[in-house]
Amino acid sequence: MESQITWVENKKANSPANKANAVTDTTRWRVEAIEALFALPFNDLIFRAQQVHRENFDANTVQLSTLLSIKTGGCPEDCGYCPQSAKYNTGVEAEKLMPIDEVLKAAQAAKDKGATRFCMGAAWRSPKDHQVEAVGEMVAAVKAMGLETCVTLGMLKESQAKQLQEAGLDYYNHNLDTSPDFYGDIISTRTYQDRLDTLDHVRDAGIKVCCGGIVGLGETVTQRAGLIAQLANMAEPPESVPINNLVKVEGTPLADNAEIDPLDFVRTIAVARITMPGSFVRLSAGRESMNESTQALCFLAGANSIFYGEKLLVTDNPELERDTRLFEKLGLKRLEN
Ligand code: SAM
Ligand code: DTB
Ligand code: SF4
């Protein structure tokens, strides 16, 4: 199958899409073209992804980010996958914002263990201004330790994005999670457009965008392709694209979802790599229950970033020794800042 790119007018032709991986005014991925990638024979898909990967990155280097939940639980949103929503009984207790000294201790530990990016997550629908100010102080202090910074705090106003940029924030994580037509089945307390608006504020403030989604929510392959199309067709695609495999948590509405075939997860990574050649594609949540072979296939398919550290936000991630062993077996190196 030949190039899946179609040539149609892009309405955002005048946006500041000037980075190497920006979608030009004539390039756009149609959902059908992305579905055709998903339908390729596995070997052909992986070969293409690996070619694109090698044209853009060192194929044996992986970026390591460590996550910390700085404000856990009690979230008013109803995201059907999330253990931190106050609507579901998952055993996660609501906590207050973590004091800055504890955050810095965790950041130092992450740095000592080899992480180069530190991501702080808060279970908020949208932060208040004083909360953004407090997180801004954390960002400045973590950055001063020589780590890249990322935060995920929910929906942001334009002024709040600016405030975080001034604090020195490198990345803002805000996922689209799934395709526009499936979104309402998973979340009812905010719209897809709300998410897109926050992403615009982040981009306009000059912060790098970390935006991806979740596989295994019950979406069809067309809807998986719909998510990828949304991401790849942004005027400037996200610099970082986390692909999460649903972590099924008891008490959430999606706890009994069927397990997806690991090879379909690998395919999603490959399609993200092909459609967003210059972005870091992150093999994100779900590694705890993934064997080494599946993870190796994800790296082969073009994943070049992982969450590193024994916890994600509230659920488990592989032990450091397990990751160190896997990196040794595969001859992978960590990306230095
Ligand atoms: N409250 C903020 C928000 O929703 O943007 C920030 C934190 S929220 C936990 C960040 C992202 O984690 C979600 O957008 C979702 O993609 C991912 N996530 C949450 N629960 C998950 C789960 N059980 N499995 C996989 N990914 C999950
Ligand atoms: C992202 O895409 N995945 C991370 C991060 N961004 C914030 C979160 C994964 C959460 C997994 C379930 C949990 O531990 O809460
Ligand atoms: Fe809240 Fe974020 Fe969880 Fe949704 S994903 S319930 S917004 S913490």
Side-chain angles (χ1 to χ4, degrees), residues 67 83-84 152 173 175 242 244 247 284-285 307 312-315:
L67 270 172
Q84 302 201 68
T152 178
N173 167 245
N175 291 337
N244 296 278
V247 180
S284 299
F307 284 123
L312 290 167
L313 290 170
V314 299
T315 65

Side-chain angles (χ1 to χ4, degrees), residues 41-62:
F42 189 78
N43 287 347
D44 292 347
L45 176 64
I46 302 304
F47 179 67
R48 264 184 79 164
Q50 180 64 201
Q51 274 180 317
V52 171
H53 192 39
R54 282 172 185 269
E55 279 161 18
N56 292 280
F57 290 98
D58 175 335
N60 300 308
T61 302
V62 174

Side-chain angles (χ1 to χ4, degrees), residues 71-88 121-126 152-155 174 177 183 187 189-190 195 214 313:
K71 196 277 162 210
T72 302
C75 182
E77 302 271 49
D78 69 352
C79 312
Y81 47 75
C82 187
Q84 302 201 68
S85 166
K87 314 253 190 229
Y88 315 128
W124 286 320
R125 168 179 163 77
S126 49
T152 178
L153 315 173
M155 293 181 283
H174 201 65
D177 285 337
Y183 193 81
I187 300 152
T189 48
R190 57 165 192 259
R195 288 309 260 192
I214 310 180
L313 290 170

Side-chain angles (χ1 to χ4, degrees), residues 18 67 88 164 234 236 253 337:
N18 51 7
L67 270 172
Y88 315 128
L164 289 170
M234 284 180 182
E236 211 176 306
N337 264 350

Side-chain angles (χ1 to χ4, degrees), residues 287-288 308-310 317-325:
R287 284 199 308 117
E288 171 66 4
Y308 176 73
E310 279 147 25
N317 201 37
E319 312 258 317
L320 297 186
E321 297 73 45
R322 202 176 130 194
D323 279 343
T324 307
R325 225 175 23 245

Side-chain angles (χ1 to χ4, degrees), residues 8-28:
V8 298
E9 191 194 353
N10 183 338
K11 286 193 225 115
K12 290 190 174 173
N14 293 324
S15 65
N18 51 7
K19 292 243 178 95
N21 62 342
V23 172
T24 69
D25 55 353
T26 52
T27 312
R28 215 174 152 80

